[in-house]
Amino acid sequence: MEGFKEFSRFLDLLEGPPTTIAPRVKTLRITNFFLRYGTWKRRKAGHKLASKLSQLRSIQTVSQQWCILPETFLDFILALPAVEISIEDTTIYTSKQFFDLFNSYLVAQGSQNLAIYHLQLEEGPDAFLDHVYLFEKRFHLRAIDSTSLVNFHDVWDPVKSRAKITVETFYLQLYGLGVEQKYLPFLRNFLLEIGPSLDNLAVELSYPHWGRGVLSAYKELDLTSCVALKAVHIGIICMDHRQTALMNTTWKLFEALPPFAIKTIGLIFDIGVPLDDCTAPLISFPWTETIERIQDMFPSSKHIKIKIGCYSDEPKAGRVGSIAQALHSKFMKLPIKVSFTAIIWTSIGSST
């Protein structure tokens, strides 16, 4: 459901007789709720409506700003019986709302299948130490990114916390929020703790944000405990004056990883806003040497995925696509799979 009106119609159905859709709802996705203001209808208590969704397994909430959500809506969400939770692109404005979330029936049910991505806490977590008990439990995270994780630095630091955290997929990005300085010790400790449980690691380097010290901070992380890692993806590597520094950091990260379990390696390149000769960086890049070096570093690898992105009109995009296709054909006879894909950025860091 997207937006206020669709969600209101859904709640109208829930308020109907027990023979309505409620028993058939197994997955719920709510996006962009209340971004456009409307008249909120007075309803039954949210937790009573949530209790009707007895077969609900999965809840995904995306692009929410909790400061403008009606109390009934939050009451409804926090009482849902889902056992699989995804919270994405969400801003929580007070510590109380944050504590209410982690003290809710929703998180109690879904703590073993939780995904958090781009969660922002506006009010500083000064009161966390008075609520440590909410976080010193077992949590299994399907996925979490580092910018969301730093909200938990007072309660999930393995050096001082009794929480038991396992993670399947970790999105590591150090730019912004002073992460490369203030939170680096916490991130280092956390990665060491969750490393044995990690299946997938995605590292986003400094693009589109570029600042001194960011790349050197990546080199300080300890990835030696990631012994079960099956896939690693690194990007975005800009094919301009930054390319050498970004590739050096990429090799350092690869060297820091235990190599024997990794089956898939992904690299994302960006040739920037194409000029007349937009394909020159692709032609001059040492693809053969790069692929051979990756094979040597990861002897169990089965697939090297290379994506090439650019901002382009259709004719130039066609040229980039043709070169990617030619590169894909060139490496088809290798003992491992090597794939090249051209992608067109519609905004910074996103593709069509």
Side-chain angles (χ1 to χ4, degrees), residues 70-328:
E71 184 177 343
T72 307
F73 175 90
L74 293 176
D75 188 31
F76 172 80
I77 292 294
L78 298 183
L80 287 170
V83 294
E84 181 179 311
I85 307 168
S86 295
I87 302 171
E88 303 174 24
D89 296 316
T90 293
T91 302
I92 298 177
Y93 283 80
T94 68
S95 295
K96 181 183 181 304
Q97 291 176 333
F98 200 63
F99 300 147
D100 287 345
L101 171 63
F102 277 83
N103 196 34
S104 67
Y105 181 71
L106 175 69
V107 170
Q109 291 290 105
S111 62
Q112 300 308 302
N113 202 339
L114 179 62
I116 302 174
Y117 191 70
H118 282 178
L119 173 66
Q120 182 176 357
L121 178 59
E122 285 290 303
E123 183 178 282
D126 297 332
F128 268 38
L129 297 181
D130 295 330
H131 295 79
V132 170
Y133 67 95
L134 295 177
F135 305 92
E136 289 196 332
K137 303 175 182 178
R138 288 188 176 273
F139 290 93
H140 178 71
L141 303 173
R142 295 195 318 280
I144 191 168
D145 65 296
S146 53
T147 54
S148 298
L149 178 65
V150 296
N151 293 302
F152 301 88
H153 74 276
D154 276 331
V155 291
W156 279 358
D157 190 331
V159 172
K160 54 187 177 183
S161 172
R162 291 177 294 179
K164 301 297 182 183
I165 313 294
T166 52
V167 180
E168 290 181 33
T169 298
F170 189 62
Y171 298 94
L172 176 62
Q173 49 195 35
L174 296 186
Y175 59 76
L177 298 177
V179 169
E180 67 275 10
Q181 298 174 2
K182 181 178 179 180
Y183 298 114
L184 191 58
F186 163 61
L187 289 173
R188 186 189 300 114
N189 294 338
F190 188 82
L191 277 167
L192 279 170
E193 181 70 16
I194 61 99
S197 67
L198 203 60
D199 285 337
N200 304 287
L201 176 65
V203 182
E204 186 170 349
L205 300 179
S206 56
Y207 179 78
H209 304 279
W210 184 266
R212 293 178 179 273
V214 176
L215 295 185
S216 61
Y218 283 101
K219 298 173 187 178
E220 294 180 31
L221 295 173
D222 190 337
L223 303 175
T224 56
S225 70
C226 302
V227 292
L229 196 66
K230 296 180 177 64
V232 57
H233 294 81
I234 297 180
I236 296 171
I237 300 165
C238 305
M239 306 185 84
D240 55 18
H241 64 281
R242 295 167 286 185
Q243 177 178 298
T244 299
L246 289 166
M247 283 303 300
N248 286 341
T249 300
T250 298
W251 295 125
K252 289 291 185 183
L253 288 167
F254 282 161
E255 289 169 0
L257 290 167
F260 298 105
I262 295 177
K263 306 297 183 185
T264 302
I265 300 96
L267 294 174
I268 303 176
F269 292 86
D270 173 53
I271 63 173
V273 179
L275 303 175
D276 290 338
D277 194 14
C278 66
T279 56
L282 298 179
I283 296 171
S284 62
F285 189 85
W287 296 113
T288 300
E289 293 84 349
T290 298
I291 290 168
E292 288 176 351
R293 186 171 177 181
I294 291 174
Q295 287 181 276
D296 290 341
M297 297 178 79
F298 301 105
S300 299
S301 59
K302 301 294 184 184
H303 192 180
I304 300 173
K305 298 181 179 181
I306 297 174
K307 296 183 179 181
I308 304 166
C310 67
Y311 297 95
S312 179
D313 56 25
E314 187 173 347
K316 292 178 181 177
R319 285 204 303 244
V320 173
S322 296
I323 292 177
Q325 188 174 6
L327 289 168
H328 183 82

